[in-house]
Amino acid sequence: MAVKNQVQLITYPDSMGGDLKTLHEVLVKHFSKTFQGGIHILPPFPSSGDRGFAPLTYLEIDPAFGSWEDIRAIGEEFDVLVDLMVNHISRQSKYFQDFLEKGRSSEYADLFITLDKIWADGEPVEEDISKMFLRRPLPYSTYKIKETGEEEKVWTTFGKTDPSEQIDLDIHSDQVKQLFTQFFENFSKHNVKIVRLDAVGYIIKKLGTSCFFVEPEIYDFLDWIMELASSHGIELLPEVHAHYSIQYKLAEHGFWIYDFILPYTLLDTFINKSNEKLYRYLKNRPAKQFTMLDCHDGIPVKPDMDGLIDPPEARKLVDVCLERGSNLSLILSEEHKSEDGFDVHQIRCSYYSVLNNDDDAYLAARAVQFFVPGVPQVYYVGLLAGENDVEAVKKSGEGREINRHNFTVDEIEESLQKDVVQRLLKLIRFRNEYEAFQGEFSIEESPENEIRLSWKKENTWCGLFIDLNTNKTLIRYIDDKGMEKESVV
């Protein structure tokens, strides 16, 4: 199965109408010709936290969202992409609950990383931990075993609670491999065509390293899981937030990668009215990428942009974003901050709001995304030109809720009346249908305050022209009669 070179939608199972059945109805009614590249459904599985990213199992769909039949039905009309958190599983899963009950005598004990698998005596060493790229103050949590009363320290990369809700899996364990095999069989049975490997960068734990994207061991695992996915006709998309050179290594190994550089680069382009960084970036990036501007987390900054940004300049750009209502997530490890202390991990906002609710700037940014080589993904809030949901942040205390508004069917239909949304839908249709996008990409020379990109295939050609001073965007193209046409975006 090949990934289609057309636009995809990213959505939660309940963020467009409340459940999967309604999502399907909304897709068929309003977007049947829009998302021909597929639908990325963020985790619809039973989960104990992190809005689906602490799954109990992949063999069931959370009944609040619907059933596997709903996924299968969506998959009849759209290629479905789902996540597999290869790094961890929920503390509430039957596997870890059994471990909490019986400890080492649990049949599932080998799924998890008890600290004696890392340090021979099971005692953590601060010097080793100081080298690690941490996502919480310590990379493990302590749990009490019910039957024995003993305490067990278990590896937990992620989690806001102590002890964590997200328990790391030991990918060297045959039991884990059997579990993944079972999950892929189930995905295949229910029409899933693409699987995103979430948090795959953290799967190898090796002393003396950052425990992040440890080479060459990570490739052994990726090769194994690629073979497993291919045997079920499923494509893989590894998700790695890291220095861009790591993404490029994945690309060299033949994997799809995420373009986590484009969102910040375009923000810089439109705020500073200069094509310089964008052009420099576009000249040497791999083509086999999924492109995005917005997602359920935020606009990546560190470590993704390390080496591509100047921290003092980045601070100024971040300040503009904060003035426009954004909030930030920060790097925890001192070692991974910039020398001057710059520590922004992600800028959290709606992309429409961070471009100052400016229809023209927003559509110009989308036009660049669609012209850059790769498979474009549009997040549901971005699709509907949603604004920062500041109330949701206040209510929940979770900064990421700023860009996670759940739309009712009425709100979707209301958003579809907006001029900016209709213009975006027209742009998506052009990107899906125009033949030149299957051809050859070029960056045209232009003054610094303009963007000119083009595609050519046989007798078809289309060019993008953006004036960064006004954000006005034009697409010129050859129509099926061989005439040159011009369309204002």
Side-chain angles (χ1 to χ4, degrees), residues 117-130:
K117 287 184 174 182
I118 307 293
W119 290 280
D121 59 1
E123 286 304 313
V125 177
E126 180 50 44
E127 191 188 339
D128 293 322
I129 293 172
S130 69

Side-chain angles (χ1 to χ4, degrees), residues 8 36 50 72 79 88 96 146 200-201 238 263-264 273 283 364 389 467 484:
Q8 292 188 353
Q36 295 177 354
D50 199 12
R72 170 183 270 286
D79 287 354
H88 52 264
F96 196 70
K146 202 168 174 188
V200 70
Y264 181 96
K273 307 292 182 191
K283 278 171 184 162
D389 194 341
D467 179 340
E484 186 170 312

Side-chain angles (χ1 to χ4, degrees), residues 380-411:
Y380 75 99
V381 179
L383 167 69
L384 300 170
E387 298 178 25
N388 289 337
D389 194 341
V390 179
E391 282 309 307
V393 176
K394 283 182 191 160
K395 200 169 155 187
S396 65
E398 165 58 78
R400 292 177 297 183
E401 290 296 316
I402 196 165
N403 198 31
R404 295 180 173 185
H405 180 74
N406 281 348
F407 288 79
T408 63
V409 171
D410 286 349
E411 284 176 320

Side-chain angles (χ1 to χ4, degrees), residues 55-275:
L56 278 65
T57 178
Y58 296 85
L59 302 175
E60 297 165 29
I61 299 296
D62 187 324
F65 304 141
S67 69
W68 274 114
E69 285 315 304
D70 296 316
I71 299 279
R72 170 183 270 286
I74 294 171
E76 293 292 331
E77 289 154 279
F78 305 90
D79 287 354
V80 169
L81 188 163
V82 297
D83 296 89
L84 175 63
M85 273 53 79
V86 282
N87 182 70
H88 52 264
I89 202 155
S90 171
R91 173 183 173 182
Q92 308 304 324
S93 65
K94 71 172 185 182
Y95 316 107
F96 196 70
Q97 286 296 305
D98 196 73
F99 177 78
L100 285 179
E101 184 75 31
K102 303 170 189 163
R104 301 292 177 104
S105 61
S106 164
E107 63 179 300
Y108 303 118
D110 196 44
L111 292 175
F112 311 110
I113 305 171
T114 48
L115 291 201
D116 56 303
K117 287 184 174 182
I118 307 293
W119 290 280
D121 59 1
E123 286 304 313
V125 177
E126 180 50 44
E127 191 188 339
D128 293 322
I129 293 172
S130 69
K131 292 177 181 153
M132 296 172 189
F133 182 70
L134 298 178
R135 296 302 304 269
R136 54 201 307 276
L138 287 171
Y140 59 86
S141 297
T142 305
Y143 300 91
K144 196 162 195 171
I145 304 304
K146 202 168 174 188
E147 276 186 9
T148 63
E150 291 172 354
E151 288 191 332
E152 280 280 12
K153 290 186 175 73
V154 177
W155 205 277
T156 52
T157 299
F158 297 95
K160 285 190 162 50
T161 59
D162 192 32
S164 175
E165 271 299 310
Q166 290 157 295
I167 315 296
D168 284 42
L169 293 165
D170 181 358
I171 55 99
H172 298 297
S173 158
D174 285 341
Q175 270 193 309
V176 169
K177 289 181 174 168
Q178 284 163 18
L179 206 56
F180 287 166
T181 302
Q182 206 180 351
F183 295 157
F184 272 92
E185 284 168 358
N186 190 54
F187 290 154
S188 173
K189 196 169 80 180
H190 292 105
N191 268 348
V192 170
K193 297 292 193 300
I194 310 168
V195 170
R196 182 174 84 148
L197 301 179
D198 188 79
V200 70
Y202 297 91
I203 59 169
I204 307 290
K205 284 76 177 172
K206 187 178 179 183
L207 296 184
T209 74
S210 67
C211 289
F212 181 82
F213 208 87
V214 178
E215 299 173 274
E217 289 86 344
I218 191 164
Y219 299 119
D220 294 337
F221 172 77
L222 284 169
D223 289 344
W224 174 81
I225 202 163
M226 171 79 101
E227 197 177 314
L228 171 63
S230 297
S231 72
H232 292 288
I234 290 173
E235 287 268 6
L236 289 184
L237 171 60
E239 186 253 12
V240 178
H241 279 289
H243 188 275
Y244 68 93
S245 60
I246 285 180
Q247 296 276 21
Y248 289 11
K249 284 177 182 177
L250 277 173
E252 280 165 24
H253 276 76
F255 287 95
W256 282 97
I257 59 171
Y258 262 115
D259 191 342
F260 288 138
I261 300 169
L262 191 64
Y264 181 96
T265 304
L266 279 182
L267 207 49
D268 185 289
T269 300
F270 285 96
I271 287 173
N272 293 318
K273 307 292 182 191
S274 165
N275 66 21

